[in-house]
Amino acid sequence: MADFRQAFAERILVLDGAMGTMLQERGLEAGGCPEEMNLAAPQTVADVHREYAKAGADILVTNTFGGNRVKLAHYGLESKVREVSTRAVEIARKAAGGEAFVAAAIGPTGRFLEPVGDAAFDEMVDIFGEQVRAFASAGADLITCETFLDIRELRAAVVACREFADLPVIAQMTFDEGGRSVLGSSPEAAAVTLDALGVDIIGSNCGLGPEGIFALLEKMRSVTSLPLISQANAGLPELREGQTVFPGTPEDMTAFHDRMIALGVRVIGGCCGTTPAHIGAIRAALEGKKLAWTPPARRCFLSSRTNVVPLGPDAPCAVIGERINPTGKKIYTAELREGKTAYIRREAQEQTAAGAMLLDVNCGAPGVDEPAALERAVFAVSGVSGAPLVLDSSDPAALERALKAVDGKVLINSVSGEDKSLNAVLPLARKYGAAVIGLSLDEGGIPETAEGRLGVARKIRDAAVAAGLSAHDVVIDGLVLTVSAEQKRAMETLRTLRLVRSELGLATVLGVSNISYGLPRRTVLSSVFFAMALEAGLGAAIINPKEERMMDAYRSAMVLLGRDVRSEAYIAHYGELAPESPSMPASAQGPAAIRDRLAAAIIEGDVEGVGTLVDEGFAEGLTALQVSNEGLLPGLEEVGRRFGKNQIFLPQVMRSAEAMHAAFDLIKERMPDEKGESRGRILMATVEGDIHDIGKNIVCTLLENHGFEVIDLGKNVPAERILEQAREHQVDAVGLSALMTTTLAAMEKTLVRLRASGIKVFTMVGGAVVTQEYAESIGADLYGRDAMEAVEKIKRLLIKESS
């Protein structure tokens, strides 16, 4: 076989279709383990591969999607990861007959990483690394990571691929019809994050048909120059005569071919519902097409889980909030030593509201465990702000721990031109997909002239490229020295900005307020210097965005320099309808009613502070019921409203739920005899044959926080047990979840059995493959599109029933 990277550069490759669909047709039982067939029925798996190869597939994907030890443990096979993985590669290799590449598949574990879940980043790298080592030893041509819902889990998988093998990597996420992943990632943010990790091809699979996947890939293309992969379902699943079918015809799979080719899609395949007929149509539609493609110019972007910020000579200057820094801040320093994050979360919110696009996070102070503190700070900031992060530390151990905790591509602050610094920081940036700030100083200190600083900048850029980073991911700090002591060097800093931009084509950054240190009315001088630096081409500014004079200079300069097109941002801020200053969270506006402050704590996910507020509520004479129903629950209702409007996402919802749990635990301790009235008793279960329970678990958590009693039966629950427990606990409602199309029939069977038994309960269904139409067709009372919608609907139904 030719080299895989060379092959997709020369032509568009066809990847095969659904493995699970084909195995089910050949005897795989609902709820059975597909990967076990590599050992128990290898000929069956080989036959599927051969059919796809015959249809024209250039890439055969191994039957290992659920082959990690977490998934295999559901079947008692966790000790057979290497055997399953090795055998799968051997089967695919033999079926390929030297005519197709073998792609080893890695799928998600079904667990969420901290702080949303309980899995640690290193644990995930180890789990995926076990598969990767086996794939490499068995001779796979490449690895494809597919159907991931959590960008942090996918980051861990890619890190494992890079650490334990030297194979090409494809990385794909799954998005819903609204263009977001389950945890809120946008296609653009995912693309920036994955591009930085050094994968070969990125894209999206599953969840949507060709039209939906194309729309996602268009968004990815806006922020990456990497080749793309399209792996769509054969349409969206439908229920026909009791069977789940994918309606997309082979011809439907080719409808977007021309646009896919123009977009830079270099691999096209199929996911759920696709068969050799679909793959054959994809192959035929490519015949005679012009398949050449020139990648767009590479640019620098930073990302969080949800947002993307451009950074470069052609992008508007990015404002970096500087306030999460312990220098001169006694309250913050004390909180760092105590392991608290209230200051961090408050500053993250306030700086973002004031206009910060990026947030600098520094936890270095005497007496502080900096690695632990920086990780904690990353979790705290990411929970309340969508701004990408700037990790500000000189401790490599702290940097690495924080890099494992981030949701996206961050900026490391900083590396210098000293060899020691370059050798310590650049490998971390490469491994975890980060950009770096390069300080234009070296062993000789700060050069006197702009030309000297340019020379250091060139050295940092060259070292970064040699370490495997893109040159565009180096942002040069021209270094601001206080004008009160070294007046002439201010102009050298501005000259440095111009030289770095014209000679190296790199973005620049400055800690602007350093210019005025030691002088009165510092913001007057700093704001004027800021405007001068912007005219000189400054790419990012580390400032206090809550200093309105600084932001006045920024917004005005963006208009005058033509970066604020049609003055839209300026008008939005200073127009007649705009507030005079950014609004602050209710908790930061001075005294407020305890009920409002309790609600704000839940909205902000203030796990640390909500207990103190509960105590204050009791001290003011509120009962446990009043604290809960008049303070906490209204906050949770607002969380639901914001989630429904895509203003916040699942990680923030889970943080609010955690704060709710902390408050309830304290209420139970203080008032054990005072019990609030239950809103109802609900039985929850994932149906028989389905081992996925993440969505169901989230619904259970939110129901409990809204005052419902929940009986959680877990996953893979037979209809008989659901009936038995519903009768025993005399529940008001039964909620059923399914993630796999093959288990939808079990959901219908359970509802039929419930009705036939005479048990009077309301029924609610949900899950990735469940639709409103399907829910209606099987007679369910409610359909929950997501966890918050499920809670709101069951609340309305049960409250109406009791009134």
Side-chain angles (χ1 to χ4, degrees), residues 213 237 268 357 399 501 553 607 676 685 697 702 714 759 797:
I213 294 291
I268 303 179
M357 303 164 192
L399 282 175
R501 179 169 181 163
V607 178
N697 292 344
L702 296 179
I759 299 175
L797 184 64

Side-chain angles (χ1 to χ4, degrees), residues 557-618:
M558 288 299 97
V559 172
L560 297 173
L561 293 170
R563 296 299 178 87
D564 180 2
V565 180
R566 295 181 295 275
S567 305
E568 290 176 354
Y570 184 91
I571 293 170
H573 185 81
Y574 297 108
E576 184 178 349
L577 299 179
E580 292 185 3
S581 60
S583 60
M584 295 294 124
S587 59
Q589 293 178 342
I594 187 61
R595 293 169 176 82
D596 293 339
R597 293 166 64 203
L598 283 164
I602 299 302
I603 293 168
E604 297 169 10
D606 187 2
V607 178
E608 298 161 3
V610 72
T612 301
L613 294 176
V614 169
D615 285 340
E616 287 185 29
F618 285 137

Side-chain angles (χ1 to χ4, degrees), residues 362-578:
N362 185 313
C363 298
V368 173
D369 179 352
E370 190 177 356
L374 196 56
E375 177 190 61
R376 192 160 48 241
V378 166
F379 288 152
V381 174
S382 300
V384 298
S385 172
L389 302 183
V390 180
L391 300 180
D392 191 352
S393 175
S394 58
D395 181 355
L399 282 175
E400 182 159 26
R401 190 155 170 183
L403 286 165
K404 294 174 183 178
V406 299
D407 294 328
K409 178 184 175 183
V410 302
L411 183 60
I412 295 176
N413 185 13
S414 53
V415 64
S416 73
E418 299 180 77
D419 291 340
K420 180 180 178 181
S421 176
L422 294 168
N423 294 335
V425 175
L426 294 181
L428 293 177
R430 176 67 182 92
K431 180 175 181 179
Y432 296 104
V436 296
I437 290 177
L439 304 179
S440 52
L441 61 85
D442 56 17
E443 290 85 353
I446 302 174
E448 292 280 344
T449 66
E451 287 76 13
R453 297 181 200 180
L454 176 67
V456 177
R458 183 177 285 109
K459 175 184 177 181
I460 295 172
R461 180 205 60 184
D462 293 347
V465 172
L469 275 69
S470 165
H472 296 284
D473 285 337
V474 178
V475 183
I476 298 300
D477 188 338
L479 297 176
V480 176
L481 302 175
T482 176
V483 73
S484 62
E486 301 182 77
Q487 194 166 4
K488 294 182 178 180
R489 297 181 77 176
M491 297 309 295
E492 288 304 307
T493 295
L494 298 180
R495 287 187 61 233
T496 301
L497 300 183
R498 294 188 174 95
L499 283 176
V500 168
R501 179 169 181 163
S502 62
E503 297 292 325
L504 303 182
L506 301 182
T508 53
V509 63
L510 293 177
V512 177
S513 60
N514 291 342
I515 194 72
S516 60
Y517 184 77
L519 293 173
R521 299 192 64 183
R522 293 186 60 188
T523 56
V524 175
L525 187 61
S526 295
S527 63
V528 174
F529 180 72
F530 188 16
M532 295 172 69
L534 289 168
E535 190 280 330
L538 182 63
I542 304 174
I543 65 169
N544 177 4
K546 295 191 289 185
E547 289 281 1
E548 192 61 28
R549 190 185 290 269
M550 296 294 286
M551 294 305 291
D552 286 343
Y554 171 76
R555 297 185 189 101
S556 301
M558 288 299 97
V559 172
L560 297 173
L561 293 170
R563 296 299 178 87
D564 180 2
V565 180
R566 295 181 295 275
S567 305
E568 290 176 354
Y570 184 91
I571 293 170
H573 185 81
Y574 297 108
E576 184 178 349
L577 299 179

Side-chain angles (χ1 to χ4, degrees), residues 224-225 295-299 472:
T224 182
S225 59
R298 187 175 179 86
R299 295 173 292 160
H472 296 284

Side-chain angles (χ1 to χ4, degrees), residues 10 17 60 97 121 185 190 210 212 276 316 339 349 361 433 441 591 632 668 686 692 749 788 790:
E10 295 173 348
L60 301 181
F121 188 88
S185 292
Q349 290 173 308
V361 182
L441 61 85
L632 302 173
K668 291 174 185 177
T686 300
H692 303 87
K749 171 188 172 185
M788 292 303 299

